[in-house]
């Protein structure tokens, strides 16, 4: 693929965005942990005390900076080129999770990260050229096509089902529920961000698009989708391991976004079969890497007990020592006990 000046600008902004967003996952989760310790109510079960936690707001600002860079990137390059570069945030969050949150990543999980990056590179290389857009009216025409309206309707139905049925039933045991809501709404927000970004770019170039109500409608959709994503992303991060949430969210979000972009902007029109197949293969590689990361989460957890023989803990005590992510709970969070003290308690239980 021949990269134009606009495409290169979009790629650089997308890479910077991924670094900021990847770091924000870790900072926000650290803030969520602190807030849970202080209030005793986690965000995953409906707590909102994290809104009073400065560290969470630092993570939020970091994410906003990344999202702004991402927003501007969509104004310069097509969604099928910008979105896959979000794979870098997986690597950033996974590495920082090991350093800051002490969330161990299995060696095969590292391979999964590499696969995600490799698949994204394939997608970028075979990304199509974007069609020039001259007015927000043109984007509105694309958004009101029957095919895209059917996609929007399907997304909204799925979101309602996930929110009102599956979230109460298995939201805290199945990582796909919260991340699914984020991803579905994210695909709509990206289409609106692309429309809004293009409108602002045209306005800066001297073609005022702010006079059209369609521009303001797209802005409203962006706001609604982003608020929904933020809420359920907080729940996902607080409930599950960051190294698992990040890649799964990336794959689902990227896949749905590119599907939406292909339907709305006709990105694959004019593409040869070889390029389309290569792009699909890139997705398969990324998906395989994500599955590998998900599987190795439990492998790492079980390996931490390997080589130690002791009587299994009772369900009640086990629940107190470990949460669903395999992380030490309040005894460590509150600073009242170190990891060595927890180990000594286990040894005492063996006697």
């Amino acid at each position: 693929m021949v990269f134009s000046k606009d495409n290169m600008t979009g790629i650089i902004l997308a890479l910077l965005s991924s670094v900021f967003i990847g770091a924000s996952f870790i900072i926000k989760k650290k803030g969520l942990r602190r807030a849970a310790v202080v209030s005793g109510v986690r965000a995953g079960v409906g707590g909102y005390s994290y809104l009073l936690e400065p560290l969470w707001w630092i993570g939020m600002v970091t994410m906003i900076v990344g999202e702004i860079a991402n927003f501007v990137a969509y104004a310069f390059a097509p969604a099928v080129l910008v979105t896959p570069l979000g794979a870098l945030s997986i690597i950033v969050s996974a590495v920082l999770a090991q350093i800051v949150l002490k969330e161990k990543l299995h060696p095969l999980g590292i391979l999964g990260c590499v696969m995600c990056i490799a698949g994204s590179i394939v997608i970028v290389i075979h990304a199509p050229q974007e069609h020039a857009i001259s007015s927000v009216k043109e984007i509105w025409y694309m958004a009101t096509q029957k095919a895209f309206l059917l996609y929007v309707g399907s997304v909204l139905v799925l979101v309602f089902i996930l929110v009102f049925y599956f979230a109460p039933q298995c939201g805290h045991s199945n990582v796909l529920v919260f991340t699914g809501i984020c991803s579905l709404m994210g695909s709509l927000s990206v289409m609106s961000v692309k429309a809004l970004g293009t409108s602002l770019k045209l306005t800066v170039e001297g073609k005022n698009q702010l006079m059209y109500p369609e521009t303001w409608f797209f802005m409203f959709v962006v706001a609604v989708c982003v608020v929904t994503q933020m809420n359920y992303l907080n729940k996902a991060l607080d409930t599950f391991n960051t190294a698992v949430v990040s890649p799964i969210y990336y794959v689902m979000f990227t896949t749905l976004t590119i599907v939406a972009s292909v339907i709305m902007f006709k990105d694959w029109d004019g593409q040869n079969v070889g390029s389309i197949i290569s792009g699909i293969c890139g997705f398969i590689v990324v998906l395989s890497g994500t599955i590998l990361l998900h599987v190795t989460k439990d492998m790492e957890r079980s390996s931490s007990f390997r080589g130690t023989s002791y009587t299994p803990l009772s369900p009640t005590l086990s629940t107190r020592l470990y949460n669903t992510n395999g992380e030490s709970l309040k005894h460590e969070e509150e600073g009242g006990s170190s990891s060595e003290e927890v180990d000594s308690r286990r040894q005492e239980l063996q006697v």
Side-chain angles (χ1 to χ4, degrees):
M1 177 179 179
V2 179
F3 295 104
S4 64
K5 182 180 178 181
D6 282 353
N7 278 350
M8 284 304 301
T9 301
I11 290 173
I12 293 172
L13 288 170
L15 291 174
L16 290 174
S17 169
S18 295
V19 172
F20 279 105
I21 292 175
S24 74
F25 275 108
I26 308 305
I27 299 173
K28 287 173 66 179
K29 184 158 187 176
K30 193 74 174 178
L32 289 169
R33 284 184 172 185
R34 287 188 181 181
V37 170
V38 172
S39 67
V41 182
R42 297 167 54 191
V45 293
Y48 291 94
S49 59
Y50 61 85
L51 295 175
L52 301 176
E53 173 57 50
L55 190 59
W56 184 86
W57 282 107
I58 292 174
M60 195 67 223
V61 170
T62 304
M63 175 168 280
I64 290 173
V65 172
E67 292 295 350
I68 290 174
N70 199 48
F71 174 86
V72 178
Y74 280 112
F76 287 93
V80 292
L81 179 59
V82 173
T83 307
L85 293 179
L88 180 60
S89 66
I90 299 174
I91 306 303
V92 173
S93 62
V95 171
L96 290 180
Q98 279 193 307
I99 298 173
V100 179
L101 301 179
K102 309 303 180 183
E103 294 180 355
K104 294 183 179 180
L105 187 62
H106 193 276
L108 288 178
I110 298 175
L111 175 61
C113 290
V114 173
M115 292 174 66
C116 290
I117 293 296
S120 296
I121 292 174
V122 173
I123 295 170
V124 169
I125 291 175
H126 296 280
Q129 292 285 356
E130 187 178 31
H131 304 294
I133 298 174
S134 58
S135 170
V136 70
K137 290 285 189 180
E138 185 178 346
I139 302 177
W140 181 256
Y141 173 76
M142 297 175 182
T144 54
Q145 299 174 92
K146 290 182 179 179
F148 187 69
L149 290 177
L150 179 61
Y151 175 81
V152 172
S154 301
V155 165
L156 293 178
V157 169
L158 286 174
V159 167
F160 272 98
I161 293 174
L162 288 172
V163 169
F164 295 106
Y165 181 76
F166 285 103
Q169 297 287 334
C170 55
H172 300 284
S173 59
N174 191 329
V175 68
L176 298 179
V177 177
F178 291 150
T179 53
I181 296 171
C182 294
S183 302
L184 287 165
M185 296 300 292
S187 68
L188 297 183
S189 68
V190 168
M191 297 302 99
S192 298
V193 163
K194 176 68 177 175
L196 182 59
T198 303
S199 299
L200 295 178
K201 180 185 176 184
L202 291 172
T203 300
V204 171
E205 292 175 351
K207 303 175 183 178
N208 187 14
Q209 304 296 307
L210 299 179
M211 66 177 70
Y212 299 114
E214 290 84 354
T215 300
W216 298 100
F217 175 79
F218 286 128
M219 187 178 298
F220 171 76
V221 174
V222 169
V224 172
C225 293
V226 167
V227 169
T228 304
Q229 284 177 266
M230 182 179 68
N231 183 39
Y232 284 95
L233 183 57
N234 283 331
K235 292 179 182 293
L237 287 172
D238 188 59
T239 307
F240 302 98
N241 191 297
T242 305
V244 174
V245 172
S246 297
I248 290 179
Y249 175 58
Y250 164 75
V251 170
M252 294 178 67
F253 169 72
T254 303
T255 302
L256 291 169
T257 296
I258 293 181
V259 168
S261 184
V262 167
I263 295 174
M264 180 173 172
F265 293 100
K266 310 295 184 184
D267 290 323
W268 281 350
D269 284 5
Q271 282 281 94
N272 58 60
V273 177
S275 294
I276 295 175
I277 293 176
S278 297
I280 294 174
C281 290
F283 276 118
I284 294 174
V285 172
V286 174
L287 181 59
S288 300
T290 301
I291 294 173
L292 190 58
L293 277 167
H294 186 62
V295 170
T296 54
K297 175 193 69 172
D298 292 328
M299 292 173 58
E300 182 62 39
R301 186 188 307 174
S302 60
S303 66
S304 63
F305 295 98
R306 205 166 293 163
T308 305
S309 59
Y310 59 91
T311 305
L313 302 176
S314 66
T316 303
L317 186 55
S318 177
T319 302
R320 286 170 53 201
L321 290 176
Y322 283 88
N323 65 5
T324 56
N325 297 325
E327 300 163 344
S328 297
L329 271 177
K330 286 188 178 180
H331 295 294
E332 290 181 293
E333 299 281 339
E334 296 171 355
S337 300
S338 64
S339 59
E340 290 81 3
E341 291 172 330
V342 174
D343 291 336
S344 66
R345 290 174 188 170
R346 289 181 189 155
Q347 292 173 1
E348 291 172 3
L349 289 171
Q350 298 174 29
V351 181

